[in-house]
């Protein structure tokens, strides 16, 4: 025992040092990270006058979870972010500490709240650990979202529970509708309000889909199925347990009549937003034009540390509902605004190929930055498997099993005459969209110094690459 203690004492400085070793090689180029310190969930996503605001769960002082506050950044293209001061800081009182947990923001165009015309109102969970309480607070900004004043009448909803969080507010007709989680009960509640201050419970939705883990960060979003305005449906997303993984997000599709959400599917049907265990706590942007619905999620860092920041956001993803043989399903695509700007990036080195047959391995020359955006369509040939090798990892398709896999662990079944793979690898995050976003898989990878480059492989035969486009975004 004594010996063990001595060993531990001896290696402690090494462990501590390793924790604080800068890791610039893993800092993403085109995904959001805070300049320094911890981030988790995106909060208060709102688009105003051409500017995308991103608030985020942030510890301003340390590179680990704690002192929760709303960090703030803005962008005009969802690619380049301007870092701004903390917008809503934690509050340290004599008897009460208030942490600013997740929530949303709305633009109060007609001054329903009395906080001013075009005030931005943030609706968030006040987590008060000493009181073992979570309740919903509001705060308003009259300076375009830079600073917020807490409403004197807080809390606006308090149901006397230690777990009651993550309000997501949208405008439905002439009222505000909040979707909020009661995590331990695997339940979401819907509330309605005329002024963002007085809230009335409308209904509850619980114990459907995947109930193995607590429910957090819900959101309710209207979408046109197949883009047809005559076919409106509602997407209810919840962050919770995913298959055998530690975390994940599930979704439901259904109808919402302004009060109650009615699931399209039987209660035991489980549908997942992402097949990895990294993508979590995603919420859609409020106030986007043209019925666009775009979400951002948090890529949860597990074992491997990065320094001086920890945690990153996903690529912004457009949400779509499509009719499939199994019913209405969620499809995701990297936001169209990003796709459109790819070719305009001056430093992006491009590789475009058409109609090449690959047997064995084809290495793409001169692309070593570990920060790329790949879009490829394959027609299966005689190969049993084909796909990409990125930073030493195989991301491929098993033709007979119709399975997408990463390093031999199966992710899910996709089928079709052709397989389209969009692969976004950015230093330490990997997002894979298959067949236009029918299946999405996200993970974190922490490649070693020599793990660079991209190749296409085909095992025991060949595959036809109908088209391949690679943008090297490492600059
Ligand atoms: C999800 C979550 C939320 C909570 C926040 C606290 O990751 O647990 O439920 O509001 O993080 O940081």
């Amino acid at each position: 025992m004594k010996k063990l203690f001595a060993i531990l004492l001896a290696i402690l400085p090494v462990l501590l040092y390793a924790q604080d070793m800068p890791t610039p090689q893993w800092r993403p180029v085109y995904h959001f990270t805070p300049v320094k310190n911890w981030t988790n969930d995106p909060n208060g996503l709102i688009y105003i006058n051409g500017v995308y605001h991103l608030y985020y769960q942030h510890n301003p002082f340390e590179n680990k979870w704690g002192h929760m506050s709303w960090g703030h950044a803005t962008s005009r293209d969802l690619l380049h972010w301007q870092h701004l001061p903390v917008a809503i800081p934690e509050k340290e009182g004599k008897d009460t500490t208030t942490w600013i947990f997740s929530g949303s923001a709305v633009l109060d165009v007609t001054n329903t709240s009395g906080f001013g015309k075009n005030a931005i109102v943030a609706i968030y969970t006040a987590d008060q650990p000493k009181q073992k309480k979570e309740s919903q607070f509001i705060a308003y900004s009259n300076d375009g979202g830079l600073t917020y004043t807490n409403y004197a009448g807080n809390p606006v909803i308090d149901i006397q529970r230690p777990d009651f969080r993550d309000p997501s507010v949208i405008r439905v007709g002439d009222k505000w509708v909040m979707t909020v989680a009661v995590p331990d009960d695997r339940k979401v509640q819907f509330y309605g309000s005329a002024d963002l201050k007085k809230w009335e419970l409308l209904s509850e939705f619980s114990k459907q889909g995947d109930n193995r883990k607590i429910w957090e960060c819900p959101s309710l979003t209207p979408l046109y199925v197949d883009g047809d305005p005559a076919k409106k449906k509602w997407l209810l997303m919840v962050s919770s347990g995913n298959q055998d993984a530690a975390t994940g997000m599930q979704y439901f599709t259904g109808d919402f009549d302004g009060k109650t959400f009615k699931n399209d599917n039987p209660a035991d049907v489980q549908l997942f937003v992402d097949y990895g265990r990294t993508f979590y706590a995603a919420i859609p942007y409020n106030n986007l034009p043209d019925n666009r619905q775009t979400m951002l999620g948090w890529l949860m860092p597990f074992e491997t540390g990065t320094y001086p920041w920890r945690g990153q956001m996903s690529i912004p993803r457009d949400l779509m509902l499509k009719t499939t043989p199994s019913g209405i399903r969620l499809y995701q695509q990297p936001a169209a605004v990003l796709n459109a700007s790819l070719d305009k990036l001056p430093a992006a080195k491009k590789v475009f190929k058409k109609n090449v047959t690959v047997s064995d391995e084809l290495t793409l020359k001169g692309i070593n930055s570990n920060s790329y955006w790949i879009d490829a369509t394959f027609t299966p040939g005689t190969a049993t498997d084909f796909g990409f090798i990125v930073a030493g990892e195989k991301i491929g398709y098993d033709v007979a099993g119709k399975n997408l896999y990463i390093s031999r662990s199966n992710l899910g079944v996709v089928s079709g005459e052709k397989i389209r793979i969009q692969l976004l690898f950015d230093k330490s995050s990997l997002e894979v969209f298959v067949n236009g976003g029918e299946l999405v898989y996200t993970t974190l990878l922490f490649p070693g110094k020599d793990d660079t480059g991209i190749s296409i492989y085909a095992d025991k035969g060949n595959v036809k690459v109908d088209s391949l486009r690679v943008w090297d975004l490492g600059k």
Side-chain angles (χ1 to χ4, degrees):
M1 190 66 195
K2 246 191 190 154
K3 204 165 156 200
L4 186 69
F5 187 68
I7 293 172
L8 276 177
L9 211 64
I11 64 167
L12 194 65
V14 180
L15 289 176
L16 289 177
Y17 177 69
Q19 284 257 310
D20 287 354
M21 279 277 281
T23 57
Q25 72 277 23
W26 295 329
R27 166 92 75 178
V29 174
Y30 59 95
H31 287 72
F32 175 83
T33 50
V35 176
K36 59 176 199 169
N37 295 329
W38 170 267
T39 183
N40 52 294
D41 317 355
N43 297 148
L45 302 182
I46 188 159
Y47 178 77
I48 303 170
N49 294 333
V51 175
Y52 295 91
H53 290 263
L54 161 61
Y55 299 96
Y56 55 93
Q57 285 289 281
H58 186 43
N59 181 341
F61 311 110
E62 299 160 297
N63 201 18
K64 61 177 191 198
W65 190 85
H67 297 284
M68 296 326 291
S69 303
W70 277 26
H72 188 200
T74 53
S75 173
R76 290 191 168 267
D77 59 4
L78 290 173
L79 205 57
H80 304 89
W81 293 95
Q82 186 187 357
H83 297 276
L84 294 165
V86 166
I88 315 182
E90 67 167 337
K91 211 167 148 203
E92 195 54 70
K94 196 160 89 43
D95 308 310
T96 317
T97 299
T98 303
W99 280 352
I100 318 301
F101 270 21
S102 289
S104 54
V106 297
L107 184 67
D108 191 5
V109 181
T110 58
N111 196 16
T112 61
S113 60
F115 296 137
K117 215 164 165 286
N118 288 318
I120 305 176
V121 182
I123 306 97
Y124 67 85
T125 297
D127 179 83
Q128 295 171 319
K130 286 177 196 150
Q131 276 72 21
K132 291 199 172 33
K133 183 138 110 187
E134 291 183 340
S135 59
Q136 311 323 319
F137 276 32
I138 59 176
Y140 58 93
S141 172
N142 300 122
D143 63 0
L146 290 176
T147 60
Y148 282 83
T149 305
N150 277 302
Y151 168 52
N154 281 330
V156 292
I157 315 180
D158 180 2
I159 58 169
Q160 305 291 337
R161 277 189 73 117
D163 61 327
F164 175 44
R165 59 179 180 267
D166 310 334
S168 168
V169 176
I170 56 170
R171 190 85 184 150
V172 181
D174 59 358
K175 70 169 183 245
W176 301 105
V177 170
M178 177 196 292
T179 309
V180 58
V182 187
D184 276 350
D185 288 1
R186 280 83 167 142
K187 177 159 90 183
V188 300
Q189 295 186 319
F190 300 103
Y191 289 85
S193 173
D195 61 3
L196 296 164
K197 293 171 178 163
K198 289 180 291 302
W199 292 91
E200 172 204 1
L201 179 66
L202 302 171
S203 66
E204 298 187 332
F205 177 85
S206 70
K207 305 219 170 74
Q208 305 207 31
D210 185 357
N211 291 293
R212 285 168 292 178
K213 296 273 160 64
I214 57 164
W215 286 18
E216 306 179 298
C217 301
S219 66
L220 180 69
T221 308
L223 285 165
Y224 296 144
V225 180
D226 306 318
D228 178 355
K231 295 195 283 182
K232 184 169 168 181
K233 280 279 175 193
W234 293 80
L235 172 72
L236 175 64
M237 293 193 288
V238 176
S239 291
S240 71
N242 170 357
Q243 312 202 21
D244 301 314
T247 57
M249 284 186 69
Q250 62 173 327
Y251 72 91
F252 305 89
T253 65
D255 297 307
F256 183 71
D257 60 4
K259 275 197 154 177
T260 309
F261 177 83
K262 195 170 157 289
N263 190 355
D264 279 341
N265 293 298
D268 60 351
V269 172
Q270 300 184 354
L271 301 169
F272 294 101
V273 175
D274 192 292
Y275 282 79
R277 57 174 196 155
T278 305
F279 185 79
Y280 201 67
I283 52 165
Y285 262 90
N286 261 337
N287 213 34
L288 287 176
D290 311 323
N291 300 306
R292 261 168 61 202
Q293 298 291 358
T294 304
M295 71 172 169
L296 264 184
W298 168 47
L299 305 190
M300 185 185 276
F302 285 93
E303 298 80 10
T304 306
T306 51
Y307 185 83
W309 84 97
R310 192 143 195 235
Q312 62 176 287
M313 295 302 156
S314 71
I315 206 73
R317 301 179 181 180
D318 286 344
L319 301 171
M320 288 160 284
L321 290 179
K322 291 195 182 181
T323 310
T324 75
S326 349
I328 294 171
R329 292 292 180 268
L330 174 66
Y331 277 63
Q332 299 161 66
Q333 274 292 282
V337 285
L338 281 175
N339 271 311
S341 56
L342 274 180
D343 285 334
K344 296 188 203 120
L345 293 173
K349 183 174 169 185
K350 295 165 215 159
V351 178
F352 291 175
K353 286 187 196 299
K354 264 202 157 133
N355 298 321
V356 267
T357 300
V358 177
S359 13
D360 208 17
E361 204 172 314
L362 170 76
T363 301
L364 305 180
K365 294 209 181 68
I367 298 204
N368 307 309
S369 71
N370 272 0
S371 179
Y372 351 93
W373 184 305
I374 304 175
D375 191 341
T377 305
F378 297 90
T379 303
T382 54
T384 54
D385 288 77
F386 61 84
F388 289 98
I389 305 174
V390 168
E393 296 279 341
K394 267 189 165 175
I395 299 118
Y397 184 69
D398 146 31
V399 179
K402 298 186 188 314
N403 238 307
L404 185 84
Y405 61 81
I406 178 162
S407 301
R408 294 287 147 200
S409 63
N410 286 341
L411 303 181
V413 175
V414 277
S415 51
E417 299 285 294
K418 293 179 183 298
I419 300 295
R420 179 176 175 207
I421 298 180
Q422 290 159 286
L423 197 153
L424 277 56
F425 181 52
D426 193 8
K427 302 288 187 184
S428 56
S429 62
L430 174 71
E431 290 167 88
V432 187
F433 299 78
V434 187
N435 286 353
E438 169 191 349
L439 182 147
V440 185
Y441 172 81
T442 306
T443 192
L444 295 177
L445 296 175
F446 297 94
K449 226 176 47 265
D450 301 326
D451 299 328
T452 59
I454 310 175
S455 43
I456 295 177
Y457 70 92
D459 283 347
K460 301 193 193 96
N462 60 35
V463 65
K464 192 166 144 258
V465 184
D466 299 335
S467 83
L468 168 73
R469 291 181 298 158
V470 181
W471 292 265
D472 185 345
L473 302 175
K475 301 276 146 40

